[in-house]
């Protein structure tokens, strides 16, 4: 029979890789909780309205990247492509508008029907934060600073560049949109198919195009920062000033946008050269228009999402899950007697594996392979005398000893060798 495959762009996570993912997520939760962001969990699938409504006119283009399906009651559902819409919907549904600001963190799988390649999957994980209810630019600085501290905690900040830009308020964007369309219209025939579609519906999103020809055309495109009105410019300057105070280095990138209509003012990305073409590890911006597009009142918000897979490729972390002690019986009839010993040992804080079958030499081979420090053996003599045989696998020494005495010796030894070990409190 043919081997069962996973869907393209959807991968298994084996323990050593998952360990890295968890390390990334743990660091995210840890740093964000110190900034008083509280973890929230939102559904993995929702009515597709939640994601489509805020997209407005550009929904056709964007939803082609999405997993949409009808369930048995003919409801149109979508696997979440991102976290922000769901978090803001949850915020509105819970009536938290009366209780702002709210700061949230979240993590979990996202789904996008994209062309799979390195750093671009169809099921991937994001860790993200949202700061909802503060329109002041200090919140923009706060979330960027949190992102920076997160990457610092992962020990990769040296390989990262921060790029920022401002899209300005609605007035500034309307003005800019006009000149951008004028400019791009001259190159209409050379633009990629997607960009031609976006020209009338969502021209700002063209700035984000990955197409090489588009990118060339964009080099001389008008600069969004030249079209910011005074209020928006001052706001952007304040964000830059905040980063200066924090000594966070940044580059201003005039073509950096978040492509959806509800984004405004600050947009930012943390990028690296280490991952090839898919170099953005964390991206965010301000989305003051989102809440209203979701059917709520106007509530400002700013946040970011980080790609867990991309970050996991950058972090150093060795996965070790070796037992402190292996248990083995000389003959299988004594295997049952190992069970209560195992439970006693794990209750004392040790990591334990029982090796059930095979000759004694095979069992020792396995103990060696999994890097156990001690072995406890039960044979006829031990059972008769109600003791254990304790073998120090590093030194090769062995002794017949009472279980409790043995535990004391193992604890002493593991403490001396500095092995990571949690004693029972
Ligand atoms: P890109 O420009 O690479 O398509 P995006 O603008 O679609 O990214 P966001 O929606 O802002 O990305 O998502 C934030 C982060 O999530 C990205 O910077 C990236 O690290 C990660 N990410 C996005 N899409 C994918 C994917 N298909 N596979 C893996 N990670 C992804
Ligand atoms: Mg994308």
């Amino acid at each position: 029979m043919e081997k069962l495959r996973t869907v393209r762009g959807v991968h298994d996570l084996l323990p050593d890789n998952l360990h890295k993912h968890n390390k990334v997520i743990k660091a995210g939760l840890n740093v964000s909780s110190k900034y008083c962001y509280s973890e929230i969990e939102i559904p993995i699938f929702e009515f597709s309205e939640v994601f489509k409504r805020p997209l407005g006119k550009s929904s056709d283009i964007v939803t082609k990247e999405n997993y949409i399906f009808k369930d048995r009651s003919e409801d149109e559902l979508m696997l979440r492509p991102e976290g922000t819409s769901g978090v803001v919907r949850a915020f509105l549904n819970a009536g938290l508008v009366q209780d702002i600001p709210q700061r949230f963190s979240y993590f979990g799988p996202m789904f996008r029907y994209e062309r799979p390649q390195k750093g671009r999957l169809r099921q991937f994980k994001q860790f993200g934060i949202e700061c909802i209810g503060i329109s002041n630019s200090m919140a923009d600085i706060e979330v960027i600073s949190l992102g920076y501290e997160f990457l610092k905690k992962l020990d990769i900040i040296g390989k990262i560049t921060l790029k920022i830009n401002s899209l300005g308020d609605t007035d500034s964007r309307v003005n800019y949109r006009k000149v951008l369309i004028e400019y791009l219209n001259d190159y209409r025939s050379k633009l990629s198919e997607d960009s031609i579609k976006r020209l009338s519906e969502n021209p700002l999103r063209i700035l984000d195009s990955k197409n090489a020809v588009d990118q060339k055309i964009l080099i001389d495109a008008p600069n969004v920062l030249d079209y910011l009105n005074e209020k928006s410019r001052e706001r952007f300057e304040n964000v830059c000033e905040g980063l200066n105070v924090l000594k966070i280095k940044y580059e201003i990138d005039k073509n950096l946008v978040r492509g959806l209509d509800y984004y405004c003012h600050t947009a930012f990305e943390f990028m690296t050269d280490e991952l090839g073409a898919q170099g953005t590890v964390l991206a965010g911006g301000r989305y003051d228009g989102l809440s209203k597009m979701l059917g709520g009142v106007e509530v400002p918000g700013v946040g970011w999402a980080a790609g867990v897979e991309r970050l996991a490729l950058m972090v150093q972390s060795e996965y070790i899950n070796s037992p402190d002690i292996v248990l083995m019986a000389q003959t299988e009839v004594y295997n049952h007697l190992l069970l209560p010993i195992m439970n006693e040992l794990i209750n004392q804080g040790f990591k334990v594996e029982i090796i059930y079958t095979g000759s004694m030499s095979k069992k020792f081979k396995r103990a060696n392979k999994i890097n156990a420090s001690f072995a406890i053996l039960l044979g006829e003599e031990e059972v008769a005398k109600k003791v254990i045989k304790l073998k120090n696998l590093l030194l090769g020494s062995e002794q017949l000893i009472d279980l409790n005495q043995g535990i004391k010796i193992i604890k002493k030894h593991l403490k001396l060798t500095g092995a990571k070990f949690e004693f029972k409190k």
Side-chain angles (χ1 to χ4, degrees), residues 65 82 112 114 119-122 124-126 205 208 210 258 269 278 280-284 305-310:
E65 261 190 21
E82 48 98 23
R112 297 186 193 174
E114 310 206 66
R120 200 174 283 292
L121 306 164
R122 287 182 171 173
F124 62 99
K125 278 196 288 223
Q126 286 185 335
R205 193 140 199 261
D208 198 26
K210 308 278 184 299
R258 306 245 62 78
E269 293 192 356
Q278 264 53 259
T280 305
V281 292
L282 186 155
V308 174
E309 284 75 8
R310 293 185 195 177

Side-chain angles (χ1 to χ4, degrees), residues 34-49:
K34 297 215 164 114
Y35 282 75
C36 295
Y37 284 65
S38 304
E39 193 186 336
I40 184 174
E41 196 170 298
I42 45 163
I44 287 178
F45 63 97
E46 303 233 17
F47 293 117
S48 62
E49 270 301 286

Side-chain angles (χ1 to χ4, degrees), residues 184-198:
L184 289 173
N185 251 329
D186 291 344
Y187 298 93
R188 199 186 175 93
S189 57
K190 293 193 184 122
L191 286 172
S192 69
E193 209 179 305
D194 273 352
S195 292
I196 292 171
K197 272 192 226 152
R198 284 173 180 149

Side-chain angles (χ1 to χ4, degrees), residues 341 377-379 381-389 400-403:
I341 297 180
L377 284 82
L378 278 192
E381 187 187 356
E382 289 81 20
V383 174
K385 293 183 177 161
K386 293 200 163 71
V387 291
I388 56 159
K389 185 184 276 175
L400 286 190
I401 191 169
D402 171 76
L403 177 62

Side-chain angles (χ1 to χ4, degrees), residues 230-260:
E230 201 175 320
K231 243 175 35 206
S232 301
R233 211 188 51 244
E234 268 174 23
R235 201 182 181 289
F236 185 51
E237 279 165 7
N238 188 49
V239 173
C240 295
E241 185 49 30
L243 297 178
N244 292 338
V245 169
L246 288 165
K247 297 193 169 58
I248 296 177
K249 287 204 195 81
Y250 58 88
E251 290 170 18
I252 293 175
D253 179 349
K254 72 179 176 85
N255 287 344
L256 182 78
V257 290
R258 306 245 62 78
L260 303 168

